[in-house]
Amino acid sequence: MPPSAKRPLRFAGLLLAATAAVSGLVAFFLALLVATDGAGSGLPAWAATVAVAVVAALWRGRRRTWRRRLVPFLPVLVAAALTLSVCVPTVPTTRRHPPALSFVATGHWRLSTGSRVAVYHYPPTGTGPRHHVPLVYLNGGPVRGISVLDHRFLQRLAGQGYDVYAYEQAGGGRSDLLPMDQYSITRSVRDLGAFTEKLGKGQVDVLGFSAGAVVLTRALADPAVAARLHRAVIAEPGPVDGPATRFAEQKGRPSARGIAPPVTGPRSTHVPRYAVAFGLMRLGLLSPGNGLVGQAEGVNAFTAADLGGDTASGYCARDAHRIPVEDTAENFTFSAAASLRIQQTIKDSPSLAPLLRRSRTPAMLMIAECTSQVRQWQTAVLADNPAVRRTQYMPGVGHHMWNGLDDNDQRAAAVITAFLQDEPAPLPDYPTRADIPAFLRDHK
């Protein structure tokens, strides 16, 4: 083979070797990140990777001419640049709260637990009767701000005469952050009790949705908090204890996940730093309190688009091409790290059933037809809580049952208000406890 024909092969070999060297250095850097839990924003792992790479490059070039000695340093430079991008913040590292909402005032309450939470109040309006028991809303997440879509639903309830209060749980929305080791499902329950105490209006009705329904369910099993609750609406709960997190995943009718148009908008996960940090946290390779990306920086960086198909999973497949905008970019906040921390405390908790069986607070369970939640998470609440007086299976809606589409908000409000006023249910009481085996068999 003539020398001219060998050059492309030699170049291809050098390129392959360089690519392998860069990949190896990046893998070594990631391994150090995991080993150090991202200490020092990843800079110690980066410095160690570069030092090892430089020593290796010097060793490989020790018997070459001075020009050829530079060749092994090219992968070092590329790898150093790539890995350094993981160590440099691109958003503020101190908490940046969302701007005030134009349609409701934001208050801040310091609870007896030490949490400082953002509070929203919708006084009763409309021409109908006023209801004397306040209604408190617990939103989903966990550790997510209350969406504009949810605020609109709360306005609807206030328009039906309810005195509606909502607060963003510690770390979410406009509420203050907690030290990472203070986030737990137990703290969330204690905060609910402290909030109702500070409200100072006697017993309250509580509407808990998704992760908020988990907090509410666990509050029903805590006599000190349950004593402050008049009625409880448990809407689309997630897993309430460790055993529930290990249920086989049986879900409802098909959701819009995977068939809805791709989510548009900026994503923090398109930035190497946050793609690595959130990815390793999701895999359990970095702790929620890791030193790579601080809690405040993570909240500032995370966007609604980072949720990907999670939003679509809250809607029925039939609604895939008309999913509403749930929130504004300015109002959206989510602490992925604190959320994972709370979820882990749920996974680590023992069965709630023995305590929940003692509950006496009248409760209602709401289940969506196209739920993205595991069916057994919901039916376990029904089976274990003798105080669940009615169950409302909501046809034609997904996990986010009040969503502004068609008459979904009106139907959800009718179900909630009928229970709170102890009026006949708009829908059949289904499933009952006796229906659970058939329900799980027939509603897949």
Side-chain angles (χ1 to χ4, degrees):
M1 181 179 294
S4 60
K6 293 181 179 179
R7 291 194 189 100
L9 293 176
R10 188 179 300 113
F11 178 78
L14 290 173
L15 183 61
L16 186 62
T19 302
V22 170
S23 299
L25 289 172
V26 170
F28 181 69
F29 168 74
L30 293 176
L32 287 179
L33 271 184
V34 172
T36 60
D37 201 29
S41 197
L43 287 172
W46 179 82
T49 300
V50 172
V52 169
V54 168
V55 170
L58 289 171
W59 177 261
R60 290 185 60 196
R62 69 191 185 284
R63 295 179 180 174
R64 300 180 182 181
T65 63
W66 70 269
R67 287 185 178 179
R68 295 190 63 190
R69 287 178 185 174
L70 298 178
V71 173
F73 283 92
L74 293 178
V76 176
L77 292 174
V78 173
L82 288 175
T83 52
L84 184 61
S85 67
V86 177
C87 305
V88 180
T90 62
V91 299
T93 57
T94 56
R95 184 71 174 96
R96 184 177 56 192
H97 288 91
L101 294 168
S102 61
F103 50 82
V104 63
T106 305
H108 285 88
W109 291 6
R110 176 73 67 180
L111 305 181
S112 59
T113 57
S115 300
R116 184 173 181 269
V117 297
V119 181
Y120 309 91
H121 180 209
Y122 292 99
T125 60
T127 58
R130 300 294 192 260
H131 304 291
H132 68 281
V133 179
L135 175 61
V136 175
Y137 177 61
L138 292 175
N139 66 301
V143 202
R144 180 174 173 176
I146 299 175
S147 70
V148 170
L149 199 62
D150 281 4
H151 276 290
R152 291 179 186 147
F153 185 66
L154 299 181
Q155 288 175 312
R156 171 183 285 272
L157 295 175
Q160 295 180 241
Y162 289 89
D163 192 17
V164 181
Y165 290 83
Y167 69 94
E168 287 167 319
Q169 296 170 50
R174 295 166 182 81
S175 294
D176 287 0
L177 304 177
L178 294 175
M180 188 58 66
D181 62 359
Q182 291 188 23
Y183 289 105
S184 70
I185 190 61
T186 301
R187 174 63 171 264
S188 299
V189 171
R190 289 174 53 221
D191 280 350
L192 172 59
F195 180 85
T196 60
E197 179 184 19
K198 191 171 183 69
L199 185 59
K201 295 192 175 185
Q203 287 189 321
V204 301
D205 294 328
V206 180
L207 166 60
F209 167 65
S210 192
V214 175
V215 176
L216 176 55
T217 302
R218 294 186 67 97
L220 294 174
D222 184 328
V225 181
R228 300 183 178 278
L229 308 183
H230 178 252
R231 289 194 168 223
V233 179
I234 305 168
E236 282 284 284
V240 299
D241 55 25
T245 64
R246 295 185 283 276
F247 287 153
E249 291 203 2
Q250 177 180 329
K251 299 184 179 180
R253 308 287 191 222
S255 75
R257 189 183 186 102
I259 57 176
V263 180
T264 59
R267 297 191 181 202
S268 69
T269 47
H270 287 170
V271 179
R273 176 172 175 80
Y274 306 111
V276 169
F278 295 143
L280 292 178
M281 277 192 284
R282 189 70 179 266
L283 293 171
L285 298 176
L286 284 183
S287 71
N290 68 84
L292 179 59
V293 172
Q295 182 185 177
E297 182 188 350
V299 175
N300 293 339
F302 205 93
T303 69
D306 286 323
L307 293 173
D310 283 356
T311 298
S313 70
Y315 295 82
C316 291
R318 67 177 73 94
D319 297 325
H321 295 280
R322 60 169 193 158
I323 293 174
V325 177
E326 293 189 342
D327 212 349
T328 63
E330 296 78 16
N331 185 63
F332 175 85
T333 68
F334 180 64
S335 176
S339 181
L340 288 172
R341 163 75 182 170
I342 291 177
Q343 291 176 58
Q344 188 59 52
T345 65
I346 295 173
K347 291 178 182 178
D348 294 340
S349 68
S351 173
L352 191 69
L355 297 175
L356 197 56
R357 292 190 187 111
R358 303 173 190 170
S359 176
R360 296 295 178 266
T361 305
M364 177 179 71
L365 177 65
M366 296 177 69
I367 301 176
E369 177 185 7
C370 311
T371 184
S372 56
Q373 306 291 75
V374 174
R375 286 291 191 204
Q376 289 88 338
W377 293 346
Q378 303 155 346
T379 56
V381 172
L382 175 61
D384 295 335
N385 186 349
V388 174
R389 294 187 175 181
R390 68 175 69 163
T391 303
Q392 300 284 268
Y393 178 74
M394 305 291 291
V397 295
H399 179 58
H400 205 153
M401 292 182 285
W402 42 88
N403 51 40
L405 298 177
D406 304 328
D407 64 345
N408 293 341
D409 286 16
Q410 179 182 344
R411 291 193 296 133
V415 164
I416 293 166
T417 57
F419 173 71
L420 295 181
Q421 298 309 309
D422 201 19
E423 296 173 350
L427 298 171
D429 183 12
Y430 175 79
T432 65
R433 290 176 185 83
D435 295 324
I436 290 175
F439 177 77
L440 293 175
R441 182 183 66 244
D442 298 338
H443 292 80
K444 298 180 179 179

